[in-house]
Amino acid sequence: MDINPAFSFTLKGQAWPGFVGVASGTFGYAKEYDGLSDFTKIGAVFTKAITPEPRLGNPPPRIVETPGGMLNSIGLANVGLEDFIRDKMDFLRRIPSAVVVNVAGALEEDYEKVVDRLEGVEGIWGYEINISCPNVRHGGMSLGTDPRLVEQITARLRGRTTKPLIVKLSPNVTDIGDTASAAQNGGADAVSCINTLVGMLIDLKTKRPVLPLNTGGLSGPAILPVALAAVWKVSRRVKIPVIGIGGITRWEDAVQHLLAGASAVQVGSGSFANPRLAEEVHEGVLEYARSNQLKSLADFHAMAD
Amino acid sequence: MVYKKKQVPYTRRRMTQFDARVMENREVAQDYFEIFLEWPAPARAPLPGQLVTFNVEKGFHPFLRRPFAFASYDKSERLVSVIYHRRGPATQLISSLRSGDTLDVIGPRGFAFQPPRDADQPLLVGGGIGTGPVVFAANWLATKGLHPRLILGFRHQGLFPALTLRPEVELQVCTDDGSLGFKGNVRAFLSTIQASEKDNAFVWACGPYPMLKAVHEWSQAEGLPCQVSVEEIMACGVGACLGCAVETVDARQMVRVCTEGPVFDSKVLKWT
């Protein structure tokens, strides 16, 4: 494997083999794409959100296609912490990609439980904190909408791990710069920018929302401009690296994320249509860098505001 | 703990995604089409009930792949087919494909129909878009020396597609308006089946949800084993997104249509 360090996303001295991750919830536990994707060109696999206990998730239908995208209402369905370690880590350790465990929970203690337990597990590069899930203590509101709570949860987890800690920002806020800043203050090493947008579709026959819980998370090419604006804003607000995510279905979209200020990218629901998207983005961005004399990921950020 | 990865050489293994060449694409009934694709040797042979997904549009809309069930597999010609209903933008695009065009496919995926050990009289029930997989199943069982009874329901004669069936298959068509075959739906026809014809029978079904539910309930009442192939909206079609999960009789478990299905023992599913 020929990895160029100038194009390897690195936190705390730990490098990915590349700069393109596959987003949490869109790549399962990676094994689902065995034989379909080339993991040598996937810098990092962000796992399905892991909670202490197994979760079934929401009732069907959980997916609906939208103009240029899709809504999902999966509901953090996952095998739970112990089954994840027992059944899913073996494959994740075998692939070259860095393994970033997406951590979720209904209470702050749940996040701590997941991180504490995984600290003793070999093969994990770092953690991505999902602050968009409903929090039981805060009346079902997500931690991600309140900068004080974002700083608190980040600080609590920072105290429990020396591994890279990434906070995944929700775009469903007044000022995403405030939550990004809170994550930085809490000790995050990077932020993922952005999670899905709240959206809805309504069925003309039933006159009801299509999704059983009414709303879902919007992803896909439709959200690219929203994500780019957020990456632009956040990367000018915080000093920690920004991982651009949202709307990438072609390598050109990833180049835009990097030019907007991202230091790495994640591809999300675009992998559903094209399981080789991450590798195509990897190749396409490198080719763009070569033909534009950009010698490193940092060179993408030289643009004046 | 120091982060380290074992350096195991990683290579892509099976041929499960490729550009398949369209060999033929023809209308077989009103708004129903059958598309034939070249199925190269490195690709796995599909079984009745299994799925294939098409990436219909490389641009933005329709965004997601579309799942379909195989309707035939011809090993000597290296040919598969899918019967589809032209009803939205994705199937509209598929219907515009011509011989020589290519289609990005992933498949075969999911669990196929499983012949039971203790029954040898297949009763295959299909309707509408569920026709393809049961026709495939009937022809496949015929090659195993069985004499399947194939019961197909349509609203009217115009929706009954041109089919290629092996001589061992006994076809019974039902139409709601009586324009062809038995007048009434497949459930009504099942009531007319004699007790002797149910000896050693097993039921495989694919079609609209109300039909599957009725066939499931009839099979339960008759004490016949029943497998159904179900539909759900999918995002990835490979088991990663959990978008196609459906409920089971065990409230602690859901199953993915694309991976644990699309064929299930009908007793496993929660019918609503």
Side-chain angles (χ1 to χ4, degrees), chain B:
Chain B
M1 184 169 291
V2 176
Y3 176 74
K4 61 173 189 285
K5 302 280 303 202
K6 288 174 202 159
Q7 290 302 308
V8 179
Y10 186 85
T11 50
R12 201 181 271 147
R13 294 189 310 202
R14 275 222 166 93
M15 184 166 171
T16 49
Q17 180 182 19
F18 54 95
D19 286 331
R21 195 144 64 98
V22 177
M23 305 306 283
E24 195 179 352
N25 192 13
R26 59 166 187 239
E27 191 160 11
V28 289
Q30 189 187 318
D31 284 330
Y32 281 83
F33 290 73
E34 185 164 16
I35 187 167
F36 290 84
L37 302 170
E38 191 176 35
W39 206 249
R44 275 181 301 163
L47 289 166
Q50 285 191 301
L51 300 173
V52 59
T53 64
F54 297 159
N55 189 12
V56 179
E57 165 60 48
K58 304 266 182 189
F60 301 143
H61 194 73
F63 174 50
L64 297 171
R65 305 181 77 85
R66 292 293 191 272
F68 298 92
F70 289 97
S72 72
Y73 169 56
D74 184 332
K75 190 178 177 182
S76 58
E77 300 284 324
R78 304 298 319 176
L79 214 56
V80 301
S81 75
V82 157
I83 296 177
Y84 61 97
H85 183 204
R86 184 173 62 190
R87 60 180 168 188
T91 47
Q92 184 75 45
L93 283 167
I94 298 170
S95 73
S96 69
L97 293 171
R98 296 287 165 258
S99 304
D101 290 345
T102 59
L103 192 53
D104 166 0
V105 305
I106 294 178
R109 300 287 316 184
F111 268 86
F113 287 107
Q114 303 292 322
R117 282 200 201 96
D118 49 355
D120 60 9
Q121 177 51 58
L123 285 179
L124 309 186
V125 187
I129 200 57
T131 303
V134 289
V135 166
F136 185 10
N139 284 328
W140 183 78
L141 289 166
T143 66
K144 308 282 170 204
L146 299 182
H147 291 77
R149 192 152 190 201
L150 176 62
I151 304 156
L152 297 176
F154 304 94
R155 274 183 289 121
H156 59 84
Q157 185 177 11
L159 298 174
F160 173 61
L163 298 172
T164 308
L165 293 173
R166 291 181 65 95
E168 298 90 340
V169 179
E170 185 198 333
L171 174 67
Q172 174 65 56
V173 177
C174 311
T175 51
D176 293 351
D177 66 356
S179 53
L180 186 67
F182 177 83
K183 184 176 192 299
N185 62 25
V186 293
R187 173 63 188 84
F189 179 78
L190 289 173
S191 297
T192 70
I193 293 182
Q194 302 297 308
S196 63
E197 297 173 283
K198 290 176 248 178
D199 280 349
N200 285 325
F202 62 92
V203 180
W204 291 357
C206 185
Y209 190 86
M211 188 202 95
L212 292 183
K213 188 181 179 187
V215 172
H216 158 71
E217 285 167 353
W218 179 79
S219 304
Q220 290 299 103
E222 298 288 338
L224 300 177
C226 176
Q227 293 172 24
V228 293
S229 176
V230 300
E231 244 192 321
E232 188 52 76
I233 302 170
M234 293 175 190
C236 71
V238 299
C241 72
L242 310 182
C244 64
V246 293
E247 292 168 295
T248 67
V249 287
D250 179 354
R252 294 161 305 173
Q253 202 174 14
M254 292 176 86
V255 285
R256 295 166 294 183
V257 171
C258 71
T259 303
E260 284 82 41
V263 176
F264 296 99
D265 183 326
S266 70
K267 290 199 298 288
V268 168
L269 300 175
K270 180 178 159 189
W271 295 93
T272 53

Side-chain angles (χ1 to χ4, degrees), chain A residues 35 91 155 275:
Chain A
F91 181 81

